[in-house]
């Protein structure tokens, strides 16, 4: 599933105590097509804080509170478009299903405690059979799609541990074989996801083994994204940079044009462009092929060549440092 930049509006009017809290769904023209109801407000005014991954639908966000007054932090559509999974501030997971052919009616399938802290991100595997939840409790948990229909309380297939601070983002590779988790501790971990049966125990049917840890950011990593072919991993950080890595964990490039923390980075469907969104109030489109095929020295000279030639404070012997270097 790919991350879209959506025209999401947080409405400024508040819900009154006792009104139903809702998650509203819209069609591509912006008209709300349905609402998911999940309890009532408790009198505290809260906003719904969205993270949406979908290929075709938007969500019309109204102010809402969960039963104990904690905002919804994340959500994701299943690839088949039949379900929406939401993650809340108190660590609860809610699974919603459209009631009928369209989204005019939505019913809550199950609510269960997934984490002990805020759930910042949810992502489905490409085949839709598994979804992952990332939390500020420092873990990523993997869940079966049919977990909400089980008679007993759902239990995670696996809990991925190893990062020492909260997890901001989780992302499946396009082939579903690798899971990336981005943490406030400044690292990104790549996990090999193996569905092969390794024994008779159902809980042992899905394994997630740590492949490697990507280290290089000076501060927390807010987002991680695979290129469509899975060959490149992009990471966005509080240190104002985006880094590009290959699948072996080797750093390819560090992109430094932003002057504020970088919240998101996402590849275009064909993988030729990378978009980054920053707190510096800009979004930048990067030509991935050009960046990876550019000699770093030549790229740097393109940035400073005019400065060297025209700045009065530059020494004469330094003005010609880039004269014989071209991209």
């Amino acid at each position: 599933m790919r991350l879209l930049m959506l025209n999401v509006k947080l409405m400024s009017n508040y819900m009154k105590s006792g009104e139903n809290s809702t998650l509203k769904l819209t069609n591509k023209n912006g008209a709300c097509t349905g609402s998911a109801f999940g309890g009532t407000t408790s009198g505290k005014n809260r906003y719904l804080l969205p993270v949406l991954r979908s290929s075709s639908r938007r969500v019309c966000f109204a102010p809402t509170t969960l039963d104990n007054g904690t905002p919804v932090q994340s959500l994701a559509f299943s690839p088949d478009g039949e379900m929406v999974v939401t993650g809340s501030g108190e660590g609860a997971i809610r699974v919603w299903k459209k009631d009928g052919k369209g989204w005019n009616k939505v019913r809550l399938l199950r609510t269960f405690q997934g984490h002990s802290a805020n759930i910042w991100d949810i992502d489905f595997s490409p085949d839709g059979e598994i979804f992952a939840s990332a939390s500020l409790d420092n873990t990523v948990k993997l869940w079966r799609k049919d977990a909400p229909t089980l008679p007993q309380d759902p239990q995670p297939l696996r809990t991925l541990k190893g990062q020492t601070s909260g997890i901001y983002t989780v992302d499946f590779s396009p082939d579903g074989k690798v899971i990336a988790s981005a943490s406030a501790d400044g690292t990104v971990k790549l996990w090999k996801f193996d569905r092969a049966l390794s024994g008779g125990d159902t809980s042992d049917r899905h394994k997630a083994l740590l492949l490697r840890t990507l280290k290089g950011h000076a501060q927390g990593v807010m987002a991680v994204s695979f290129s469509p072919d899975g060959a490149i991993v992009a990471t966005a950080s509080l240190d104002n940079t985006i880094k590009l890595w290959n699948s072996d964990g080797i750093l390819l490039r560090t992109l430094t044009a932003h002057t504020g923390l970088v919240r998101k980075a996402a590849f275009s469907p064909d993988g030729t462009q990378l978009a980054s969104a920053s707190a510096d109030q800009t979004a930048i489109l990067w030509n991935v092929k050009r960046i990876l095929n550019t000699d770093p020295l030549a790229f740097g000279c393109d940035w400073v060549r005019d400065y060297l030639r025209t700045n009065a404070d530059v020494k004469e012997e330094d003005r010609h440092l880039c004269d014989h270097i071209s991209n």
Side-chain angles (χ1 to χ4, degrees), residues 210-286:
L210 181 62
L211 287 174
R212 57 189 56 91
T213 300
L214 309 184
K215 297 180 179 180
H217 283 290
Q219 297 183 53
V221 183
M222 297 205 71
V224 59
S225 178
F226 286 94
S227 61
D229 62 3
I232 302 173
V233 178
T235 58
S237 172
L238 294 168
D239 66 9
N240 304 355
T241 71
I242 305 105
K243 291 182 182 292
L244 302 180
W245 317 74
N246 68 14
S247 57
D248 293 323
I250 297 174
L251 179 62
L252 302 175
R253 290 289 186 273
T254 298
L255 310 180
T256 59
H258 284 295
T259 59
L261 65 89
V262 187
R263 298 182 182 276
K264 290 291 182 183
F267 287 93
S268 61
D270 62 4
T272 63
Q273 302 292 317
L274 178 74
S276 57
S278 171
D280 66 10
Q281 302 182 22
T282 69
I284 297 177
L285 295 178
W286 307 83

